[in-house]
Amino acid sequence: MPVADPLTERGLALSKLHCARCHIVSESDRFAGTSSTPSFKTMIEFLKDWEERFGSFMARNPHPAHIRLDGDDPRPEHLPATIREVLLSLDDIEAILAYVDRMAIDLGRKQPED
């Protein structure tokens, strides 16, 4: 997938850094992730609500157990510590979503915005 702009490029880098622990995030990382977790490509290609799912990923299990927005309260003690905690800024989320949108455009699942 050609990376189109600095925001998308940053989103790819952040996805590789944080999301590739569980998901395959690009064709170059097909052996990353875990076998029980869908790849970004699979979610975009086969889930009708893929945009809503990516847009709300921080609220979807198991993400609240290890991802939080920079500046939020510390992770609640009752949540399981499955892996190292990830702190994301709103700019980070915007970049990751820009990367996902670019992937969806390249897969023919989304029209480019003019």
Side-chain angles (χ1 to χ4, degrees), residues 7-19 25 96 99:
L7 183 63
T8 304
E9 194 171 293
R10 184 166 175 256
L12 171 59
L14 286 165
S15 295
K16 286 182 174 185
L17 178 64
H18 298 304
C19 308
V25 300
I96 291 168
Y99 168 66

Side-chain angles (χ1 to χ4, degrees), residues 1-5 8-9 12 25-27 41 44-45 50 97-113:
M1 176 188 94
V3 176
D5 58 65
T8 304
E9 194 171 293
L12 171 59
V25 300
S26 72
E27 288 297 317
K41 181 180 179 185
I44 292 168
E45 287 184 321
W50 69 268
L97 294 177
Y99 168 66
V100 168
D101 281 350
R102 178 77 253 165
M103 181 183 284
I105 290 166
D106 292 347
L107 292 169
R109 295 281 288 154
K110 184 173 182 157
Q111 294 298 316
E113 295 177 13

Side-chain angles (χ1 to χ4, degrees), residues 39-50:
S39 69
F40 280 18
K41 181 180 179 185
T42 296
M43 289 188 283
I44 292 168
E45 287 184 321
F46 296 105
L47 299 177
K48 291 180 182 181
D49 64 344
W50 69 268

Side-chain angles (χ1 to χ4, degrees), residues 55-85:
S56 63
F57 77 90
M58 287 189 61
R60 293 178 172 272
N61 284 331
H63 299 118
H66 60 270
I67 300 175
R68 68 182 172 94
L69 194 58
D70 189 24
D72 280 354
D73 292 333
R75 189 177 70 79
E77 292 290 325
H78 73 278
L79 294 175
T82 55
I83 59 174
R84 182 173 50 91
E85 185 175 42

Side-chain angles (χ1 to χ4, degrees), residues 29-43:
D29 295 320
R30 336 187 269 276
F31 301 109
T34 59
S35 62
S36 62
T37 305
S39 69
F40 280 18
K41 181 180 179 185
T42 296
M43 289 188 283

